[in-house]
Amino acid sequence: MEQSKKNIDIIQQWDINNTWALFLDRDGVVNRRRIGSYIMMVDEFEFLPGVLQSFATADKIFSKIIIVTNQQGIGKGLMDENSLNQIHDFMISKVKENHGRIDKVYFSPYLANSNHLMRKPNTGMAIAATKDFPKIRFKHSVMIGDSATDMEFARTLGMKAVFVGMPEEMDVSKELFDVAYPSFFDFIKDLNAIVVNL
Ligand SMILES: [Mg+2]
């Protein structure tokens, strides 16, 4: 079976409705990654193609839309929480201007080698989201990410795991995700077609 048809079949079986939550990684999903560096100011934050439109579509499908992002640039002392909050205010307001919605952004400032509960692949940021939004059910949640840590985070929590990008390039094995798409935009396009046809 053709891959795109396979993806649609898998997503159809999830039976997504408007009680579901969408979790998204930030760098490489919402905005362009800076390889080997961090987004340290608003000027460096560039939405990936189709992302703003995708948030507008996701707004109609999901009850909650949550960003979970590792930002160890803070732990390294390369940037401060204040600049990160400015970047997130910018992101949230641009999404809103384009008829989308981000309900909340959770970030982890801890270093990769800390193995901190609040840093993906550990589940702390998702647990925090359920404290703020008690109706969230992980088995009725989709996690979109571009790295193995995102997919492990989804797997541990029992979320549906959507990989975006090139799994081979990011060294992510196929067992770690349910479906792979080139981008957030491509996934939302398929999902929207399925939901509309229900
Ligand atoms: Mg990422």
Side-chain angles (χ1 to χ4, degrees):
M1 203 189 305
E2 194 194 333
Q3 191 57 48
S4 59
K5 176 82 174 65
K6 242 187 235 170
N7 278 354
I8 289 171
D9 279 358
I10 292 167
I11 296 168
Q12 231 153 10
Q13 286 165 20
W14 297 348
D15 218 4
I16 291 183
N17 62 42
N18 60 12
T19 68
W20 281 55
L22 178 65
F23 286 78
L24 299 136
D25 170 45
R26 197 196 78 182
D27 299 324
V29 175
V30 176
N31 60 282
R32 205 175 293 284
R33 283 190 302 140
R34 293 184 73 201
I35 309 292
S37 185
Y38 303 95
I39 308 291
M40 294 191 267
M41 47 188 139
V42 171
D43 283 358
E44 296 169 339
F45 188 94
E46 186 193 343
F47 283 100
L48 285 165
V51 160
L52 288 168
Q53 191 186 331
S54 303
F55 273 110
T57 307
D59 170 68
K60 299 190 184 74
I61 301 173
F62 291 97
S63 71
K64 289 291 171 275
I65 301 172
I66 310 277
I67 308 269
V68 281
T69 179
N70 286 347
Q71 294 296 331
Q72 68 166 339
I74 294 178
K76 289 181 177 176
L78 296 171
M79 57 191 291
D80 58 21
E81 264 188 54
N82 212 11
S83 349
L84 187 67
N85 287 331
Q86 277 174 21
I87 291 164
H88 290 163
D89 288 348
F90 168 79
M91 172 179 73
I92 291 167
S93 69
K94 278 287 164 204
V95 165
K96 206 186 250 176
E97 261 171 47
N98 288 275
H99 314 290
R101 159 172 57 95
I102 294 171
D103 292 289
K104 193 151 179 175
V105 178
Y106 298 88
F107 66 87
S108 170
Y110 306 102
L111 296 174
N113 64 15
S114 69
N115 193 28
H116 199 284
L117 174 65
M118 294 303 283
R119 184 180 160 87
K120 293 178 289 184
N122 296 330
T123 55
M125 289 193 280
I127 308 292
T130 61
K131 290 194 176 128
D132 293 332
F133 307 106
K135 286 188 177 157
I136 288 178
R137 294 290 172 269
F138 296 138
K139 65 171 186 183
H140 291 161
S141 297
V142 175
M143 170 69 194
I144 306 182
D146 72 332
S147 71
T149 52
D150 296 317
M151 300 298 95
E152 283 167 30
F153 171 87
R155 278 282 185 260
T156 306
L157 291 158
M159 295 174 172
K160 305 302 181 196
V162 177
F163 182 84
V164 300
M166 298 293 207
E168 308 79 22
E169 215 172 85
M170 297 292 279
D171 203 18
V172 177
S173 87
K174 286 200 158 104
E175 290 73 55
L176 274 179
F177 54 82
D178 296 298
V179 290
Y181 279 91
S183 69
F184 175 29
F185 176 77
D186 292 290
F187 167 68
I188 280 288
K189 201 169 59 178
D190 267 7
L191 177 60
N192 191 48
I194 291 165
V195 171
V196 165
N197 285 330
L198 283 181

